[in-house]
Each structure stands twice: as C-alpha cells, then as structure tokens.
Amino acid sequence: SKRVPPGSLGIPIIGQSLGLLRAMRANTAEKWIEDRINKYGPISKLSLFGTPTVLIHGQAANKFIFANGGDSIVNQQTQSIKMILGDRNLLELSGKDHSRVRGALVSFLKPESLKQYVSKIDEEVRSHIRMHWERKKQVKVLPLMKTLTFNIICSLLFGLESGKQRDQFMNPFQAMIKGMWSVPINAPFTRYNRSLRASARIQKLLKEIVHQKKVEHEKNGANSRQDLISCMLSMVEDDKQVITENEIIHNAMLVMVAGHDTSSILITFIIRLLANEPAICAAVLQEQEEIAKGKLLGEPLTWEDLSKMKYTWRVANETLRRFPPIFGGFRKAATDIEYDGYVIPKGWQIFWVTSMTHMDNNIFPEPSKFDPSRFENQASTPPYCFVPFGGGARICPGYEFARVEILVAIHYLVTKFSWKRLSDNSFSRDPMPTPTQGLLIELFPRKQLS
Ligand code: HEM
C-alpha cells in the first residue's frame, strides 16, 4: 500500500532532463532542485535521461545511498553514460566484479604507489607552464588546465608521453564528454550521437595501445608498475588475465573522464578564487614560498612537501564545497525499496545532489561565505555532508591523485605568477562548472626566489 513519491514523470524519454540541463547551463540548477523540493517535498519522482528517477537529499539520504551495504541499491549511470563509456566500466559493475576491477585501479592510485609519481607530475606541470604560461600576457585558464590534467593522465596512467599518439586523443575525448549528460536520442547531429562516435574512435585508439603493450609485455616481460594499462595487463591468475580487454578499455575511458575534467575544473576554480580573494591568495603564496625556499633550483616537489601544503588544501576543499565539479550522481534500485514512507520501485534511478548538504546552513553556517578555516578540523564536519568525492564503497579512488596534481599545479602557478581576472565572474554547468570565457586572466610574472 506504499505510494511512489509525489511528482510527475513528464513526457516519455525526455521527462525533466531538458529543464534540468537548461537550469545547469544557466547556473540555476540548485534553485531548480529547491523549487522541486518546495513543490513536492523532500522526496519526489521525475524522469531524467530516459529513466524514472527519485530525487532524495540531505545527510540521511547521502548515508542511505553511500553506505548501503546490501544489494538493494546498485550503481548504474544514465543510459547515455553506459553507452558512451562501455558496459564494463566500474560505474556499471557491482559486487565481486566491482571489487576486482576497483582493486586493480586502487593498486595504482593508492598513496604508496603515488608517492613514486610525484616527480613525474611535477615534471608535467613545469613543462606545461614553460610551454603555455611563461612569457604570456593573458591566458584562458580552463582549456589549459584541461590540457594539463589530460596530459598527466595520459602520461601516468597510459604511459603515453607527449607526441602524436597522445594528441590524437584530445579532440574526440572532448566531444565524447559533451554527450555524457544528454538525452539518449541517437539521431544525426544530437550531442549523444557525436559523443557515441567519439567514443568509438577512442576505443579504437585504446585498443591499439593495449595491443602494443601486450606485445611489449610478451617480448620484454613489461614492468607492471609502469602505467595503469600495463599494471592491469600484468594481473594474471591461473593463466588467465584478471581484467579482460574490454574492462581495461572501458575503465581507461572512465579514468580519462573521471580523472581529467574534475581536476581541471577544481584547479580553474582555485585560480578564480585566488584572483577574487587577495587575503586568501597571500596566505597560499606564503605557504608555497616557504616550501620553495627549501628547494634547490629545479628540484622537484616531494610527497613530504605536499604534506606541508595544509592551508592550500583547505582552500581546495572549500572550493570543492562551494563549486563541486560533480553536481550529483545516480544509483539504481535493484528491488522495491522503502524510503521515508514511500516506495522507490525496482529499476528506478536514485539521484543525489552534492550541493544539498554543502550549502545547508545547519551543516556549514553562512554557506555562501568562502571560508577555508571550516576545514581546519576535518573531524568537525558531520559524516556524509561533505561529499565532493562521493562516499562509501564507491568513494572516488582518484582522491589522492587529484590532491597531488592540484597541489603541484598551484605551487608552481602561485610562486611564478600573480594574476587578474579579465572575464566576468559567472559560470554555467555543462555539466561541469565552466567559467565564462574559460576564465581569461592577465598574468604578471613574480620575481623568482632562487
Ligand atoms: C577534483 C577531482 C575529483 C573529483 C571532485 C571526483 C569526484 C568523484 C565522484 C563524486 C565520484 C562518484 C562517487 C559515487 O558515486 O559515490 C567519483 C568516482 C570515481 N572517480 Fe573521481 N573525482 C576526482 C578525481 C578523480 C581522479 C584524478 C581519478 C582517477 C585518476 C578519479 C577516478 C574515479 C573513478 C574510477 C570513480 C568510480 C569509482 C567507483 O565507482 O568505484 N577521480 N569521483
């Protein structure tokens, strides 16, 4: 006798997708969600990206989604994401398959492994700054940060150093991302269709890389620590590859998406913030100059240096709270689930939204104020309330990787330059937050310490 939540599923396939996407582009998506909550209450039904969906929010809702240990809630992305990234990507897997594939990714992304890659990330950041920032009067930050984080992913995770093979990925990759939050109508000229075609091209390129590495592996007994693909290829049990070729390709695509756009947005928003808040910028600079003073000219940063960047990391966390790169996410009800007096029917999507706890006055007082000191004592943040990286068994495995690239990038940028914002301060979501004109800034080189 339990009822499904109030609300309307709208017109078939399209439902409320266009309304949400329009609000995201106008940067009014939080208000769009709030209006729904005011109209229907804390739990409501709608239809997003071709599937009936239930929107729930708040600390209890986040806990319900992230800490659900049973089999009733499974991960499932929208139809568009599944078709674009492939059905063996981690977001589509559950149970033992999820643990097996996630284990392979984590063995590469965990801090013990990452420590040895700090100097490589340092090298990528410095070469990027030499090529794209030095001697420039103005730069457009977002496209540059996309290039930087994409190159870091290609170099560290796929073993692709700079060159033609790496460059071939960039354009189809951007086209692929554009259709990930789209209505799955596969007709010529739709975003979804362009994205599917780009995905096919990337899968072909990745297949070639996997085959190249297989050959190298057989010839030289490749070093499993070299890069993520080699690491996955070298995992063998009972003469059988632990991770199948499709799993390697689909998860390489997932990592390209998950690990590149998110971090580039975060660095861009930190740069925007430092332009807007001189006092915070001065405090970040002071911390980074202290670290720079202890280094010889050209000496790369180390894991220990990063652990001293406490204030800078608080600024990054506060940026993640105010401008989370990931707006929210989806799960699927594997059975009929009871929640808050309603039933979420089997097969329906469950939609969670990051900002609903990040901007809750009871959790983060004066939520619109940018205040890095909120993160001085991380333990004071209630559980399941600060969720830019999600939570529970599916919490972002790239968290440490992101921390390393962000801190290294900010270190070199603030110690080498100051900057002034030239474009206005607004941004839209597409679906990631995207500043107007990609954040155009005027650059002023700093006098070098050494
Ligand atoms: C600022 C940077 C980043 C942010 C804000 C971010 C955020 C997130 C979020 C919100 C999720 C979904 C969690 C959930 O559904 O419960 C996620 C999952 C994931 N992220 Fe990240 N991420 C970032 C960087 C990275 C990086 C650098 C990588 C890889 C190198 C990465 C790889 C992944 C993967 C593979 C998943 C799927 C995990 C699973 O389903 O088990 N992310 N991330």
Side-chain angles (χ1 to χ4, degrees):
S1 64
K2 287 260 168 15
R3 294 169 303 140
V4 293
S8 138
L9 295 180
I11 49 174
I13 304 186
I14 290 172
Q16 285 79 5
S17 316
L18 297 181
L20 175 62
L21 290 172
R22 227 177 281 129
M24 288 176 92
R25 282 177 206 142
N27 197 12
T28 53
E30 282 83 1
K31 177 153 189 318
W32 191 87
I33 301 271
E34 258 171 51
D35 288 349
R36 282 198 69 77
I37 293 167
N38 291 338
K39 188 166 175 191
Y40 298 113
I43 164 166
S44 63
K45 70 169 179 288
L46 67 167
S47 168
L48 288 176
F49 312 114
T51 311
T53 304
V54 171
L55 166 73
I56 57 176
H57 71 93
Q59 182 181 20
N62 288 353
K63 181 171 181 199
F64 172 72
I65 291 171
F66 295 139
N68 184 286
D71 299 326
S72 55
I73 298 183
V74 292
N75 210 42
Q76 188 199 283
Q77 297 306 305
T78 61
Q79 185 67 6
S80 333
I81 296 182
K82 179 177 174 177
M83 295 307 289
I84 291 164
L85 292 184
D87 59 1
R88 297 305 292 169
N89 87 71
L90 202 54
L91 305 177
E92 294 298 323
L93 304 181
S94 54
K96 281 196 177 129
D97 278 349
H98 176 254
S99 314
R100 174 175 54 83
V101 176
R102 187 173 161 110
L105 284 182
V106 168
S107 76
F108 196 83
L109 293 171
K110 64 186 177 197
E112 298 75 34
S113 312
L114 277 182
K115 279 181 188 174
Q116 31 174 336
Y117 299 119
V118 177
S119 61
K120 191 121 183 61
I121 294 182
D122 182 287
E123 191 185 309
E124 283 286 344
V125 171
R126 276 201 271 187
S127 117
H128 170 88
I129 292 178
R130 265 197 310 276
M131 206 179 293
H132 300 286
W133 291 65
E134 280 174 9
R135 289 175 299 283
K136 298 275 176 356
K137 288 205 164 60
Q138 290 183 4
V139 291
K140 221 181 222 192
V141 179
L142 184 58
L144 286 183
M145 287 305 109
K146 285 194 187 226
T147 307
L148 171 66
T149 55
F150 185 74
N151 286 346
I152 293 177
I153 290 276
C154 281
S155 154
L156 269 92
L157 301 188
F158 310 143
L160 280 184
E161 303 298 336
S162 57
K164 201 165 151 241
Q165 208 177 13
R166 182 152 108 175
D167 297 343
Q168 279 179 333
F169 271 103
M170 194 67 189
N171 286 340
F173 179 70
Q174 293 301 345
M176 180 179 92
I177 285 190
K178 284 215 160 86
M180 289 188 53
W181 277 46
S182 62
V183 180
I185 297 177
N186 191 6
F189 310 117
T190 58
R191 267 194 182 213
Y192 180 60
N193 174 273
R194 275 196 297 273
S195 188
L196 279 179
R197 282 188 287 131
S199 157
R201 167 119 187 85
I202 293 175
Q203 292 196 46
K204 189 167 168 273
L205 290 169
L206 280 170
K207 214 174 193 153
E208 282 166 17
I209 294 176
V210 170
H211 287 172
Q212 258 172 24
K213 287 194 187 292
K214 259 188 182 162
V215 172
E216 278 167 31
H217 200 149
E218 276 155 23
K219 224 162 95 190
N220 312 327
N223 172 5
S224 67
R225 282 267 149 257
Q226 245 171 259
D227 59 65
L228 179 70
I229 292 184
S230 309
C231 177
M232 284 179 156
L233 275 172
S234 66
M235 295 174 94
V236 177
E237 249 175 49
D238 298 332
D239 276 347
K240 263 181 66 190
Q241 243 175 259
V242 173
I243 314 289
T244 66
E245 187 170 309
N246 262 352
E247 285 169 348
I248 294 179
I249 291 170
H250 294 180
N251 286 289
M253 293 210 292
L254 168 66
V255 169
M256 276 168 113
V257 175
H260 142 89
D261 238 17
T262 46
S263 319
S264 61
I265 298 284
L266 177 54
I267 306 174
T268 303
F269 273 75
I270 297 175
I271 292 175
R272 173 179 172 270
L273 180 272
L274 296 182
N276 293 345
E277 303 272 355
I280 293 174
C281 186
V284 168
L285 177 64
Q286 192 186 1
E287 179 174 83
Q288 297 302 339
E289 282 192 331
E290 270 312 303
I291 292 161
K293 272 183 208 156
K295 314 289 295 178
L296 297 171
L297 185 66
E299 186 187 351
L301 291 165
T302 61
W303 187 260
E304 288 65 39
D305 294 325
L306 302 184
S307 67
K308 292 180 199 149
M309 300 182 185
K310 292 198 166 43
Y311 182 77
T312 310
W313 188 237
R314 271 180 229 141
V315 171
N317 274 327
E318 182 65 346
T319 310
L320 282 167
R321 183 187 69 81
R322 286 291 283 107
F323 311 104
I326 304 282
F327 183 77
F330 295 94
R331 295 288 194 273
K332 188 178 86 168
T335 57
D336 285 356
I337 303 173
E338 279 186 31
Y339 181 79
D340 211 12
Y342 292 101
V343 68
I344 304 175
K346 179 178 172 183
W348 283 33
Q349 285 179 150
I350 305 170
F351 182 35
W352 62 276
V353 179
T354 324
S355 63
M356 298 314 289
T357 49
H358 288 196
M359 293 303 284
D360 182 336
N361 197 25
N362 298 314
I363 304 168
F364 297 103
E366 289 188 75
S368 299
K369 186 173 160 201
F370 193 93
D371 179 7
S373 72
R374 295 178 202 275
F375 292 96
E376 267 166 22
N377 175 10
Q378 200 104 51
S380 67
T381 308
Y384 302 106
C385 290
F386 179 60
V387 288
F389 293 100
R394 288 190 179 265
I395 195 163
C396 175
Y399 166 84
E400 288 289 348
F401 188 94
R403 194 178 72 94
V404 176
E405 55 184 354
I406 282 143
L407 292 176
V408 173
I410 295 298
H411 173 83
Y412 286 111
L413 290 173
V414 294
T415 52
K416 283 179 183 293
F417 310 97
S418 61
W419 51 84
K420 199 174 101 191
R421 192 165 42 74
L422 294 176
S423 44
D424 73 40
N425 205 30
S426 61
F427 68 93
S428 62
R429 279 195 175 267
D430 191 24
M432 301 265 176
T434 309
T436 311
Q437 288 185 287
L439 186 62
L440 192 63
I441 57 171
E442 186 174 1
L443 279 182
F444 307 96
R446 284 189 202 281
K447 206 163 158 279
Q448 289 300 288
L449 292 171
S450 45

